[in-house]
Amino acid sequence: MSVQGPPFHGFANPVDPSPGELRAWAYQPDSVPLTSLPQDWDLLVSGDHLVLTLFELALDPSCPARRFALHCLYIYAADGIRTNFRAHPRRRFRKLVEQAERDGDELVRNWAYNSRVLLARQELFTYHDWCEGGLVRDNRRLG
């Protein structure tokens, strides 16, 4: 289900967008191209403040920025797992993985699967796959 709103004209503070701003941008990503946003914007928005919004966007097949949202979920998962959940709450992560397994399509279920694999085998972390979008582009499961 797509939740499009009024035209999006930009972020009040692109370094710290609100959930509403991120959602509005995600349905009109050409209104503010990624190239015009701060360097490593994906890393900036991949925190607890926006993870539920990113998750909703990743679940929506009609969202134009869905793959970006999924990419941010990979960053979120890797950050939480690799810091032994000092960066993000384990409970929130676990709930997102369970919901992804229950409600997600193949892309989102692959994120949940890969997140569980990384949790069990942190040596499978590669920056390219988890933080540069490799697993999103390839849509593959870790072995």
Side-chain angles (χ1 to χ4, degrees), residues 61-82:
S62 70
C63 177
R66 178 183 192 213
R67 292 175 71 81
F68 175 81
L70 188 60
H71 162 64
C72 291
L73 290 179
Y74 272 101
I75 294 170
Y76 181 86
D79 196 30
I81 293 166
R82 295 186 72 236

Side-chain angles (χ1 to χ4, degrees), residues 32-47:
V32 180
L34 279 172
T35 56
S36 71
L37 292 167
Q39 185 176 357
D40 297 327
W41 192 63
D42 53 347
L43 301 175
L44 293 172
V45 300
S46 296

Side-chain angles (χ1 to χ4, degrees), residues 24-115:
W25 170 81
Y27 287 98
Q28 300 173 38
D30 293 337
S31 62
V32 180
L34 279 172
T35 56
S36 71
L37 292 167
Q39 185 176 357
D40 297 327
W41 192 63
D42 53 347
L43 301 175
L44 293 172
V45 300
S46 296
D48 290 318
H49 175 62
L50 296 170
V51 72
L52 296 178
T53 302
L54 291 164
F55 188 77
E56 291 170 16
L57 297 170
L59 282 175
D60 184 357
S62 70
C63 177
R66 178 183 192 213
R67 292 175 71 81
F68 175 81
L70 188 60
H71 162 64
C72 291
L73 290 179
Y74 272 101
I75 294 170
Y76 181 86
D79 196 30
I81 293 166
R82 295 186 72 236
T83 64
N84 198 26
F85 296 98
R86 286 185 303 276
H88 309 295
R90 181 184 298 266
R91 183 172 182 220
R92 177 176 289 153
F93 168 75
R94 186 180 66 244
K95 285 183 175 190
L96 290 173
V97 168
E98 290 169 356
Q99 185 178 351
E101 291 168 338
R102 190 177 56 249
D103 301 334
D105 63 3
E106 180 186 11
L107 282 173
V108 177
R109 285 192 315 269
N110 281 350
W111 169 79
Y113 175 86
N114 289 336
S115 294

